[in-house]
């Protein structure tokens, strides 16, 4: 094997790409990660400090994937002295029959019952008694699931980075975007401004930039790129304690909101609240603005003033992030073999799109297992995860 020859090349050095690199490296596979920016950047879907972890889902296979991921979170935790998940619990409340991008309360309860995931049902009065919310409509219902929590996203990326390098089989090249992908005698060849690299296998984990990476293959994904805003709000009462939470409301009346507890890794003394809808839907990540929507921040502030106890409603530490979501409404994640050069090409796997923070450690494992042995289903303990749930409807894009 030459210096520029690898077993696996990974395009994209965000959280998922680094996780895949770790799982490849620990299998003894010589692995190259190509990242167009620096690792641990805020340019794409890995922006921000935190993500929510939860077990509840409206789709049983997604809840099973969350359950299966816990083993892989524990494995990754060994590479960090910081807790990767702070277990504060997960609170869902609002209209029990309303569905959104996050699923729905009644549907999630049905799945939790099927999988024996414990939770506590709550009415509006109990929610206000147990948590710092006020003025909720009397017909709101919800539940509290104690295993949910908040992910330290940057610590997770750092752990995946360190874990990958610790295998001794992984090279990470920053500020080296891929420019071309071609077939080679070994499988695939990836060209950058620095050189050409060959490998038997290729994983494309480029997040919101996935269609840039796919251009040489004359392929694209049908995705929407959401630009979203969030803000932090100062605690006016020192004893305010929150779980992670999500409120399901009719968007015609008021926005959907979600939030996080106070954490020491992101603005101690402040609590993050965000709207769960896009400021704008972009066709290309280059269209991103780093200036949050005034409308979103005003809605955040109004919600905090009317329904949260112990917070100053003035938004602080505002930010935007990019989230790639599938246009296919029945796809929570997109993960599939890539039909390059007129064939299925099971030696190339593409991942993109979805609220995937909670799956960072297991998605890397899934990608590598798919490349090792072509599969239609992946087994995790007692769970069988059919890959058809993540299948991509590919579009062809002429090379320019």
């Amino acid at each position: 094997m030459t210096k520029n020859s690898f077993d696996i090349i990974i395009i994209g050095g965000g959280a998922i790409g680094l996780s895949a690199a770790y799982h490849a490296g620990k299998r003894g596979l010589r692995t190259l990660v190509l990242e167009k920016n620096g690792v641990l950047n805020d340019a794409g879907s890995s922006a921000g400090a935190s993500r929510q972890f939860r077990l509840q889902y409206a789709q049983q296979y997604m809840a099973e994937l969350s359950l299966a991921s816990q083993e892989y979170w524990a494995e990754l935790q060994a590479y960090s002295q910081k807790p990767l998940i702070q277990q504060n619990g997960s609170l869902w409340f609002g209209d029990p029959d309303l569905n959104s991008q996050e699923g729905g309360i009644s549907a999630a309860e049905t799945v939790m019952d099927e999988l024996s995931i414990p939770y506590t049902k709550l009415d509006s009065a109990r929610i206000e008694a147990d948590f710092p919310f006020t003025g909720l409509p009397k017909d709101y219902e919800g539940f509290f699931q104690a295993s949910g929590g908040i992910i330290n996203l940057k610590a997770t990326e750092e752990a995946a980075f360190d874990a990958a390098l610790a295998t001794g089989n992984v090279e990470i090249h920053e500020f080296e975007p891929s420019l071309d992908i071609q077939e080679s005698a070994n499988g695939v060849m990836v060209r950058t401004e620095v050189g050409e690299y060959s490998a038997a296998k290729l994983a494309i984990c480029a997040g919101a930039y996935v269609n840039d990476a796919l251009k040489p293959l004359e392929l694209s994904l049908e995705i929407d790129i959401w630009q979203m805003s969030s803000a932090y709000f100062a605690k006016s009462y020192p004893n305010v304690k929150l779980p992670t939470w999500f409120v399901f409301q009719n968007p015609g009346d008021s926005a959907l909101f979600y939030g996080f507890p106070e954490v020491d890794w992101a603005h101690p003394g402040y609590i993050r609240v965000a709207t769960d809808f896009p400021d704008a839907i972009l066709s290309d990540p280059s269209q991103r603005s780093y200036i949050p929507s005034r409308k979103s921040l005003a809605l955040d502030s109004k919600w905090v003033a009317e329904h949260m106890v112990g917070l100053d409603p003035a938004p602080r530490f505002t930010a935007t992030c990019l989230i790639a979501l599938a246009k296919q409404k029945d796809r929570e994640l997109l993960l599939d073999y890539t039909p390059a050069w007129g064939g299925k090409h099971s030696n190339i796997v593409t991942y993109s799109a979805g609220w995937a923070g909670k799956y960072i450690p297991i998605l890397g494992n899934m990608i590598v297992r798919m490349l090792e042995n072509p599969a239609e289903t992946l087994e995790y303990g007692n769970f069988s995860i059919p890959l058809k749930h993540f299948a991509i409807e590919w579009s062809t894009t002429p090379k320019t």
Side-chain angles (χ1 to χ4, degrees):
M1 184 174 287
T2 67
K3 178 181 178 182
N4 286 349
S5 179
F6 296 84
D7 296 307
I8 292 180
I9 296 173
I10 298 169
I11 296 176
I16 305 300
L18 292 173
S19 175
Y22 163 61
H23 283 282
K26 81 171 189 173
R27 285 165 165 73
L29 301 175
R30 187 159 182 251
T31 303
L32 171 66
V33 178
L34 296 172
E35 167 54 45
K36 68 181 295 182
N37 299 298
V39 295
L40 311 180
N41 68 73
D42 277 337
S45 299
S46 296
S50 307
R51 294 291 187 273
Q52 292 195 9
F53 179 83
R54 57 183 165 97
L55 299 181
Q56 69 269 15
Y57 260 94
Q59 303 85 0
Q60 183 166 326
Y61 66 90
M62 293 296 287
E64 289 174 345
L65 196 58
S66 288
L67 288 166
S69 76
Q70 293 178 304
E71 172 187 344
Y72 294 88
W73 277 107
E75 179 181 334
L76 190 59
Q77 181 63 69
Y79 293 91
S80 178
Q81 294 183 344
K82 304 172 184 176
L84 302 184
I85 298 179
Q86 180 174 296
Q87 194 175 68
N88 306 85
S90 177
L91 172 67
W92 278 16
F93 63 98
D95 182 341
D97 297 317
L98 186 68
N99 291 309
S100 80
Q101 287 284 340
E102 296 295 319
I105 294 171
S106 296
E109 289 177 344
T110 298
V111 171
M112 288 191 291
D113 290 340
E114 180 66 26
L115 296 176
S116 300
I117 297 172
Y119 65 96
T120 302
K121 289 183 68 69
L122 306 168
D123 60 17
S124 179
R126 176 75 181 275
I127 294 166
E128 292 187 2
D130 291 355
F131 304 99
F133 294 99
T134 187
L136 302 179
K138 300 303 181 187
D139 60 348
Y140 273 17
E141 300 175 14
F143 62 80
F144 178 75
Q145 205 293 308
S147 297
I150 180 171
I151 299 167
N152 184 336
L153 183 60
K154 293 309 177 191
T156 299
E157 288 184 277
E158 290 169 1
F161 178 87
D162 290 341
L165 292 182
T167 68
N169 297 313
V170 177
E171 289 185 27
I172 299 173
H173 293 193
E174 299 180 280
F175 305 104
E176 191 174 343
S178 65
L179 300 178
D180 195 17
I181 304 169
Q182 297 180 3
E183 285 188 290
S184 74
N186 293 332
V188 295
M189 184 278 294
V190 179
R191 179 176 61 85
T192 73
E193 290 183 349
V194 175
E196 295 182 351
Y197 309 97
S198 65
K201 312 283 186 178
L202 173 66
I204 299 174
C205 305
Y209 298 86
V210 65
N211 285 329
D212 287 342
L214 287 167
K215 280 180 182 178
L217 301 178
E218 300 185 29
L219 294 168
S220 63
L221 304 189
E222 295 293 320
I223 59 173
D224 288 326
I225 302 172
W226 282 21
Q227 178 179 302
M228 302 180 71
S229 294
S230 66
Y232 287 80
F233 296 84
K235 293 169 58 176
S236 53
Y237 298 167
N239 296 325
V240 173
K241 294 190 182 301
L242 282 159
T244 58
W245 57 273
F246 190 93
V247 58
F248 294 82
Q249 302 179 129
N250 186 335
D253 299 329
S254 54
L256 301 171
F257 296 91
Y258 65 99
F260 297 82
E262 178 187 12
V263 290
D264 59 7
W265 65 78
H267 309 300
Y270 290 78
I271 287 175
R272 183 180 166 206
V273 179
T275 48
D276 189 53
F277 63 82
D279 300 341
I281 298 178
L282 313 179
S283 59
D284 188 280
S286 64
Q287 300 168 335
R288 176 187 181 178
S289 169
Y290 288 85
I291 301 173
S293 159
R294 291 185 179 181
K295 176 183 176 182
S296 293
L297 296 182
L299 287 169
D300 270 348
S301 184
K302 185 173 184 290
W303 168 263
V304 169
E306 293 179 353
H307 297 295
M308 298 193 75
V309 176
L311 297 183
D312 182 334
R316 307 293 184 192
F317 306 112
T318 61
T320 66
C321 68
L322 297 182
I323 302 294
L325 297 174
K327 287 184 181 286
Q328 298 165 257
K329 299 306 181 185
D330 62 340
R331 295 291 186 267
E332 294 289 329
L333 303 171
L334 294 180
L335 174 65
D336 204 351
Y337 294 104
T338 308
W341 305 296
K344 184 69 173 178
H345 275 259
S346 58
N347 65 331
I348 305 176
V349 166
T350 295
Y351 160 76
S352 181
W355 310 96
K358 62 190 71 63
Y359 300 120
I360 290 167
I362 198 170
L363 265 173
N365 177 271
M366 293 172 72
I367 290 165
V368 174
R369 286 178 60 182
M370 288 172 67
L371 289 170
E372 283 184 319
N373 297 295
E376 296 182 356
T377 300
L378 294 179
E379 305 291 333
Y380 288 100
N382 296 325
F383 304 125
S384 295
I385 310 296
L387 294 176
K388 66 181 181 181
H389 293 307
F390 315 120
I392 295 170
E393 291 183 1
W394 295 94
S395 297
T396 56
T397 304
K399 191 179 294 187
T400 56

